[in-house]
Amino acid sequence: MFWLILSLISCSGIVIEDFKNRLVHLYWFLLLMIGLVGLHLSKSNWLNILYDASLNLIFLFVLFIFLFVYFSIKEKKLINLFNQHIGIGDLLFFLVISIYFTFPYYILFFTISLVFSLLFLPIIFYFQGRSRDIPLAGLQAMVLIFWMLLDRFNGISFTYLNIVVN
């Protein structure tokens, strides 16, 4: 339960700082990483964590390569994704959560949290006015809070995914 509380507090810190300041301190990501490693270790072992994280990081690397190519073609020059398209905090969040999820769940979480972010954007833009910054790490941390609580209290079952994976 300690690891869950630490993870929930860390996610809450990320949500609050990303929405309020559009800047998240590094210690929230470090605390989240510690909490998520503890949660994953309570269900698995180090070897599985390294295996899952490796697959998730490969997926993330391939995704960022496609984004780099897409935006470079769109803007007709080589671009740095982190200058205006993706924040460093968003990347840190993607990296940290890679240690918590198995590969299929990482993709599922990634997809669900991005769809949630897209659905939430009109509300954010309404309150932001002219600024069009998206607190992606904060939005995804909100989804992670919900995900961890459902997982902890068995509020949802993804057994169909186990059939697909196995």
Side-chain angles (χ1 to χ4, degrees):
M1 190 67 147
F2 170 77
W3 302 117
L4 177 64
I5 292 170
L6 180 62
S7 299
L8 293 173
I9 290 171
S10 303
C11 281
S12 298
I14 292 170
V15 169
I16 291 167
E17 285 195 354
D18 204 13
F19 274 86
K20 184 177 178 186
N21 304 327
R22 297 292 299 121
L23 172 76
V24 180
H25 287 92
L26 183 61
Y27 59 83
W28 289 120
F29 294 109
L30 294 174
L31 287 173
L32 180 59
M33 183 176 65
I34 292 167
L36 293 179
V37 166
L39 281 172
H40 200 144
L41 277 176
S42 68
K43 298 177 183 179
S44 189
N45 60 41
W46 278 106
L47 189 58
N48 287 341
I49 289 176
L50 292 175
Y51 176 75
D52 293 334
S54 298
L55 288 176
N56 296 340
L57 292 175
I58 290 168
F59 167 75
L60 196 60
F61 179 74
V62 169
L63 182 68
F64 275 93
I65 292 294
F66 279 120
L67 285 173
F68 169 76
V69 170
Y70 170 77
F71 282 114
S72 293
I73 290 171
K74 181 181 175 190
E75 297 181 21
K76 297 182 177 102
K77 64 180 179 177
L78 294 179
I79 56 104
N80 180 351
L81 283 175
F82 304 105
N83 278 350
Q84 62 185 169
H85 299 289
I86 299 170
I88 297 296
D90 303 330
L91 175 64
L92 284 173
F93 187 79
F94 298 147
L95 293 173
V96 168
I97 64 169
S98 71
I99 59 177
Y100 177 64
F101 292 104
T102 60
F103 182 64
Y105 284 112
Y106 187 74
I107 293 175
L108 183 64
F109 174 82
F110 209 85
T111 305
I112 289 171
S113 63
L114 288 177
V115 168
F116 172 78
S117 299
L118 283 172
L119 294 174
F120 205 74
L121 277 182
I123 298 167
I124 292 171
F125 288 166
Y126 176 78
F127 287 107
Q128 277 184 346
R130 292 183 167 257
S131 174
R132 294 293 187 185
D133 295 329
I134 301 167
L136 186 59
L139 289 167
Q140 290 186 308
M142 287 172 57
V143 176
L144 184 59
I145 289 170
F146 187 66
W147 184 289
M148 287 187 297
L149 289 173
L150 285 175
D151 185 41
R152 171 66 174 102
F153 298 108
N154 296 323
I156 195 164
S157 174
F158 292 111
T159 53
Y160 66 90
L161 188 59
N162 292 336
I163 294 169
V164 173
V165 174
N166 294 331

